[in-house]
Amino acid sequence: MNRLAALREPSTRKLLFSAGLSWLFDAMDVGMVSFIIAAIAVDWHLGAQQIGLVAAINSIGMAAGAAVAGSLADRYGRRSILIWTLLIFSAASGLSALVSSFVALCILRFIAGFGLGGELPVASTLVSESVPQKERGRAVVLLESFWAFGWILSALIAYFVIPDYGWRIAFVISALPAFYALYLRRAIQDSPRYMAAVQQKPLPFRQRVASVWSSKYRRSTITLWVLWFTVVFSYYGMFLWLPTVMVMKGYGLVKSFQYVLIITLAQLPGYFTAAYFIEKIGRKFVLVTYLVLTAISAIWFGMAESEGMLIAAGICLSFFNLGAWGGMYAYTPELYPTEVRSTGVGLAASFGRIGGVIGPYLVGMLVARETAMTTIFTVFFVAILLGAFVVLFWGRETKGIDPDSPTV
């Protein structure tokens, strides 16, 4: 039987596409913020620290959303929480088009981040539980690949819309996913694993957290929390600043958007190669290899001076970093049983989002102090290597393992 047959089943394809589109809209919003901030900074004369603050507040919302939604999804189901988080971030993004003050923008970005942060771990948990074990990792990485399409879409909107029509229209476009939530109500259902687990009385929140930190799962939890922190810290610190960094290196706003679009396109092959290797060789191979190569690409990007070197380093950074993201989302749900899975994934993602708060704000502080780009990207180089080594020495391989098995 073809190994991809399970992913070709109509029900599996429908779930993957439906959850994937919600993932795409999340990425579109996050990507849009990076471009919009660059445009708002020009309109409102924002300093580097203010730019970093907007990105940091967005990540604070994502941290809160991941923890809350992850817990609620174990209690009330993956489907309903997925829909509500989609509605929350869409509404807040649309309302952002009306803001006239920096404070109002920050408040709405926190609310939008709450919805964004909650949707991602819930969607990955739903897909992970709903496909056969032998294709579970590949399915989640393919789900993650929709993130690249979202970033590409945000880059296209930024390139073609913002220069001519302004950043407010971009926020209006980012509110459209609210209508997609109506489709999701009928398109997806909770996973059979979850429905079987809730036939028993759900565990209280405190007991679920205690289970995640019990001796059986403590090592996995520590590994995941370090992994998530270093990956999110480096990703948001680097990618939310990409358009602004390009402007700082002397390129105009439109030219910077064009270069970031080119760099973003490299995310797709990064995901697809990770999807291949994750079932062929294993989760740890993908995570460690792609993270090490991300670290090398980061230091290369920081040192790049010429236009060609900048784009080449950016392409490699995009390729390997997003491949690692796909591996991380596939790996995380496989370390916990169904009754605490969404809580475990949500807590790891929430802790990681703290890195997403620190990363962009730290860059803003360093840029304000006129710190060299080489030094800034060296910080990310060290952080990414730390995550890779923790997975290498502490992480356990989950390829072909059923997390609900009593022997795990």
Side-chain angles (χ1 to χ4, degrees):
M1 182 178 178
N2 193 313
R3 296 185 74 246
L4 293 178
L7 295 182
R8 291 172 181 161
E9 289 291 327
S11 59
T12 303
R13 284 202 313 247
K14 183 178 181 181
L15 171 65
L16 192 56
F17 185 73
S18 299
L21 280 181
S22 66
W23 206 289
L24 179 151
F25 292 134
D26 271 14
M28 184 185 77
D29 187 86
V30 172
M32 202 89 76
V33 169
S34 71
F35 294 107
I36 288 172
I37 288 175
I40 291 178
V42 176
D43 285 356
W44 290 3
H45 307 290
L46 300 181
Q49 286 182 282
Q50 288 176 300
I51 296 172
L53 182 61
V54 174
I57 287 175
N58 194 75
S59 292
I60 292 172
M62 293 183 79
V68 173
S71 173
L72 292 177
D74 276 334
R75 182 69 179 84
Y76 298 104
R78 286 59 163 133
R79 172 180 169 272
S80 60
I81 302 303
L82 177 63
I83 292 170
W84 275 108
T85 53
L86 187 62
L87 286 171
I88 289 170
F89 94 74
S90 299
S93 292
L95 290 172
S96 298
L98 304 176
V99 298
S100 57
S101 71
F102 182 73
V103 173
L105 177 65
C106 288
I107 292 171
L108 286 171
R109 286 322 305 170
F110 173 85
I111 298 171
F114 185 92
L116 287 164
E119 190 272 333
L120 295 171
V122 173
S124 63
T125 299
L126 175 62
V127 171
S128 181
E129 290 176 342
S130 302
V131 299
Q133 178 179 305
K134 65 179 181 179
E135 294 298 337
R136 187 177 58 212
R138 179 175 284 120
V140 177
V141 177
L142 290 176
L143 169 70
E144 248 281 283
S145 71
F146 281 84
W147 184 272
F149 288 107
W151 259 87
I152 292 168
L153 184 58
S154 72
L156 289 171
I157 292 170
Y159 184 67
F160 290 108
V161 174
I162 293 178
D164 294 329
Y165 302 100
W167 54 267
R168 295 184 188 276
I169 298 299
F171 269 135
V172 171
I173 293 172
S174 67
L176 297 179
F179 296 101
Y180 182 65
L182 301 175
Y183 166 77
L184 281 183
R185 290 182 62 190
R186 295 184 178 182
I188 62 172
Q189 300 296 327
D190 277 310
S191 68
R193 280 178 181 262
Y194 174 78
M195 295 306 294
V198 295
Q199 297 304 314
Q200 306 171 11
K201 185 178 180 180
L203 295 175
F205 175 69
R206 287 186 179 181
Q207 195 169 336
R208 278 181 271 137
V209 174
S211 178
V212 167
W213 281 99
S214 66
S215 58
K216 186 175 183 180
Y217 301 111
R218 188 178 301 126
R219 180 169 176 171
S220 294
T221 297
I222 293 172
T223 301
L224 286 178
W225 283 33
V226 173
L227 172 65
W228 272 87
F229 183 91
T230 54
V231 170
V232 179
F233 167 79
S234 57
Y235 174 81
Y236 284 94
M238 293 185 293
F239 280 83
L240 285 184
W241 273 87
L242 267 187
T244 306
V245 168
M246 291 294 190
V247 172
M248 291 170 57
K249 284 184 176 284
Y251 304 104
L253 193 65
V254 175
K255 195 72 171 178
S256 298
F257 287 175
Q258 179 184 347
Y259 287 159
V260 174
L261 173 59
I262 294 170
I263 290 171
T264 302
L265 289 171
Q267 294 181 11
L268 285 171
Y271 282 124
F272 295 147
T273 55
Y276 174 79
F277 287 123
I278 205 162
E279 294 295 355
K280 193 76 172 178
I281 302 178
R283 282 61 165 152
K284 286 183 65 173
F285 170 83
V286 167
L287 282 168
V288 173
T289 302
Y290 279 59
L291 284 174
V292 169
L293 292 173
T294 298
I296 294 171
S297 301
I299 199 73
W300 181 21
F301 186 86
M303 296 172 63
E305 294 292 339
S306 68
E307 187 174 319
M309 291 290 279
L310 200 64
I311 295 175
I315 286 173
C316 291
L317 184 64
S318 190
F319 180 99
F320 292 115
N321 187 271
L322 276 297
W325 266 96
M328 184 171 69
Y329 266 108
Y331 183 59
T332 305
E334 296 178 339
L335 291 169
Y336 302 108
T338 301
E339 62 266 20
V340 300
R341 180 171 299 124
S342 193
T343 300
V345 175
L347 289 175
S350 179
F351 185 76
R353 298 300 171 188
I354 297 173
V357 175
I358 297 172
Y361 192 67
L362 176 63
V363 174
M365 290 178 59
L366 294 175
V367 169
R369 295 177 181 177
E370 299 183 350
T371 305
M373 279 296 157
T374 303
T375 303
I376 293 173
F377 278 82
T378 299
V379 173
F380 297 124
F381 169 80
V382 173
I384 297 164
L385 284 184
L386 173 63
F389 288 136
V390 168
V391 173
L392 178 63
F393 295 110
W394 270 40
R396 63 184 184 86
E397 181 58 62
T398 56
K399 178 178 178 290
I401 294 175
D402 182 0
D404 288 315
S405 171
T407 59
V408 174

